[in-house]
Amino acid sequence: MNKKPRVVVGLSGGVDSSVAAHLLLEQGYEVIGMFMKNWHDESVTISNECPWMEDSTDAMLVAEKLGIPFQAIDLSEEYRERIVDYMFSEYEAGRTPNPDILCNREIKFDIFLKAAQKLKADFVATGHYCQKGSISKEDSTVYQLLAGADTNKDQSYFLCQLSQEQLEKALFPIGHLQKSEVRAIAKKLDLITAEKKDSQGLCFIGKVRLPEFLQQQLKPKKGRIIQIPEELSVFDRYQVPAGVSLDELDDATLDGIAFPIHYSQSQGKTIGEHNGAHYFTVGQRKGLHVGGTGKPLFVIATDTRENIIYTGLGEEHPGLLRNALFVKNDQIHWIREDLKLEIGQTARYEARIRYRQPLVGATLIQRENGLYVLFDSPQKGIASGQFVAWYQGAECIGSGTIF
């Protein structure tokens, strides 16, 4: 008698993972539900937005209803080391981290996967809206990370740092469905999570007050808010020179186009005060508390060393827009290792720098010092520390941390 393949489902207490577990049962898998407890400190969580105890109970009730074994695992120590400490250090350095992407790479498809393998699981599954494909190549299989069928919920961007080894062991049972279909299935099964709202905020922590969260380690520190006039952003030097092929650009020109813009205090005027440059990120509009500017004010750069925030007026301020970005060699990640660019090679893809952002055409140029991503149109609020992901159609090919 053939043994059923065993899969451990990360039951979060939400509707997506609940339906994922049900679908796997229907497909003939032996299913185990596991709840990950990754956060204890509720002092910074906005009340009742994502209380882990309620989520754990809901996950347990779903497992009971589906008739599958259930257990909880405490990964809070690993989560603090790999995600929270990373967040603090990134903000302190003036960069903008994406904990959800790291959480998938470091927790769900690493620590959690290893815990599942101790239970002799063949796979782990989550309620992500994405799909998995595969291509046979000679003696091996190449796995593909594909967008979810629900374009409004596609979460492939959050999984853009997964490796071939992680994808091999991953299942995404609801990726072919629309959110409305997932809720309809949960309702038909009378699952407690059928009408439950989607969780928001930091992966596993919930909706937090970010300044209070950061203040656990990064202390408030008064500094100046400086407004930079449009004409001083020198936007022209961030354009590709007319009539020049991208292949012909030298590294110095690419650096000028792709590296973050740096301002000096003498370029603008002081218009207000803030409580710490490390609490702000490029593209941010809220939290500046500066009135009487007419147009909305946006953060266009931060200097955590001098504790200064540079701002610009309006969404079209040139300091808010960039045509390109750079990824250091050690931060480049190819999901499709067989498509990796060698030094001197270029390739055309579509790319995005944040979740749900429409994909835009981009040219990738691999040079000795790293990867340059040049967009077909200027991108708003490119922030160091965030991730750029590039796609070929519905397939996510690779990603990198923005310099």
Side-chain angles (χ1 to χ4, degrees):
M1 184 176 148
N2 288 338
K3 178 179 165 286
K4 288 182 180 180
R6 178 178 290 178
V7 56
V8 173
V9 183
L11 282 181
S12 66
V15 66
D16 298 329
S17 59
S18 304
V19 172
H22 160 72
L23 292 175
L24 289 166
L25 282 172
E26 278 199 330
Q27 290 163 24
Y29 288 94
E30 180 193 346
V31 181
I32 298 170
M34 190 181 278
F35 177 82
M36 288 171 265
K37 183 183 177 186
N38 288 4
W39 193 247
H40 294 282
D41 184 359
E42 296 183 7
S43 64
V44 293
T45 305
I46 296 173
S47 59
N48 297 324
E49 278 288 337
C50 187
W52 71 266
M53 285 184 73
E54 183 186 319
D55 287 341
S56 176
T57 302
D58 288 348
M60 182 175 66
L61 290 171
V62 165
E64 200 173 280
K65 183 89 173 175
L66 296 175
I68 61 173
F70 174 80
Q71 59 179 271
I73 183 171
D74 190 337
L75 301 178
S76 52
E77 191 176 322
E78 293 90 340
Y79 187 84
R80 178 173 286 281
E81 282 174 11
R82 295 204 190 188
I83 311 299
V84 177
D85 290 349
Y86 149 81
M87 280 183 64
F88 284 133
S89 64
E90 286 290 278
Y91 274 109
E92 191 170 27
R95 292 187 292 268
T96 306
N98 190 315
D100 291 310
I101 289 176
L102 264 289
C103 186
N104 285 317
R105 188 184 82 188
E106 300 286 329
I107 304 296
K108 290 180 186 171
F109 294 94
D110 186 11
I111 305 284
F112 178 68
L113 172 59
K114 286 168 183 165
Q117 286 172 330
K118 284 180 182 173
L119 297 175
K120 297 189 166 42
D122 301 291
F123 301 98
V124 291
T126 63
H128 282 107
Y129 285 86
C130 65
Q131 301 177 84
K132 174 180 161 182
S134 62
I135 304 168
S136 293
K137 285 206 171 188
E138 295 167 7
D139 298 334
S140 63
T141 301
V142 175
Y143 294 97
Q144 300 171 290
L145 175 64
L146 305 169
D150 188 334
T151 51
N152 191 47
K153 294 293 291 182
D154 168 38
Q155 292 174 307
S156 57
Y157 174 74
F158 289 133
L159 298 162
C160 68
Q161 285 275 298
L162 294 195
S163 66
Q164 283 291 307
E165 292 73 26
Q166 290 171 316
L167 271 176
E168 182 186 0
K169 299 294 184 186
L171 297 176
F172 308 112
I174 64 167
H176 64 293
L177 298 173
Q178 301 292 308
K179 180 75 181 196
S180 55
E181 294 176 298
V182 170
R183 287 211 182 273
I185 292 169
K187 205 166 185 180
K188 191 177 176 184
L189 294 169
D190 194 28
L191 297 179
I192 193 169
T193 55
E195 304 290 339
K196 192 172 179 179
K197 279 185 182 177
D198 291 345
S199 62
Q200 292 182 332
L202 299 180
C203 179
F204 290 123
I205 294 180
K207 204 164 184 180
V208 301
R209 299 181 183 89
L210 196 56
E212 283 97 323
F213 183 73
L214 294 174
Q215 280 173 25
Q216 291 182 337
Q217 284 190 26
L218 309 179
K219 299 304 173 198
K221 185 181 173 186
K222 295 284 185 192
R224 290 191 295 153
I225 300 173
I226 293 177
Q227 184 184 333
I228 301 292
E230 282 194 30
E231 62 271 17
L232 286 179
S233 277
V234 205
F235 195 45
D236 287 344
R237 79 181 180 92
Y238 300 104
Q239 303 280 10
V240 176
V244 176
S245 160
L246 296 179
D247 295 358
E248 296 169 356
L249 294 174
D250 59 37
D251 288 356
T253 304
L254 283 170
D255 290 350
I257 297 166
F259 281 18
I261 306 166
H262 292 288
Y263 299 98
S264 66
Q265 300 176 42
S266 60
Q267 285 181 281
K269 61 177 182 179
T270 301
I271 56 168
E273 199 176 52
H274 61 80
N275 286 321
H278 42 255
Y279 300 143
F280 293 83
T281 182
V282 172
Q284 186 171 332
R285 178 179 166 183
K286 294 180 178 175
L288 288 167
H289 307 302
V290 177
T293 55
K295 290 181 185 176
L297 205 61
F298 290 88
V299 176
I300 60 173
T302 63
D303 183 341
T304 53
R305 188 172 291 176
E306 296 293 332
N307 198 31
I308 293 170
I309 294 172
Y310 294 100
T311 60
L313 271 185
E315 292 190 45
E316 299 307 314
H317 189 284
L320 200 59
L321 302 165
R322 265 168 59 197
N323 277 15
L325 56 82
F326 177 68
V327 181
K328 289 181 177 180
N329 278 325
D330 64 351
Q331 297 296 317
I332 303 168
H333 173 72
W334 291 92
I335 298 172
R336 287 289 302 277
E337 293 164 0
D338 55 317
L339 298 178
K340 179 181 176 180
L341 292 181
E342 301 301 328
I343 294 170
Q345 289 185 323
T346 66
R348 285 288 297 171
Y349 287 110
E350 289 186 299
R352 59 167 54 106
I353 56 169
R354 54 180 65 89
Y355 173 52
R356 280 190 176 162
Q357 180 196 33
L359 289 166
V360 61
T363 300
L364 273 60
I365 304 174
Q366 180 68 54
R367 292 288 169 87
E368 200 170 334
N369 59 332
L371 184 72
Y372 295 89
V373 180
L374 280 67
F375 297 98
D376 292 355
S377 55
Q379 298 300 293
K380 193 176 294 176
I382 294 176
S384 297
Q386 290 183 327
F387 288 86
V388 57
W390 48 93
Y391 290 73
Q392 197 167 55
E395 183 180 0
C396 185
I397 302 297
S399 64
T401 311
I402 299 170
F403 173 68

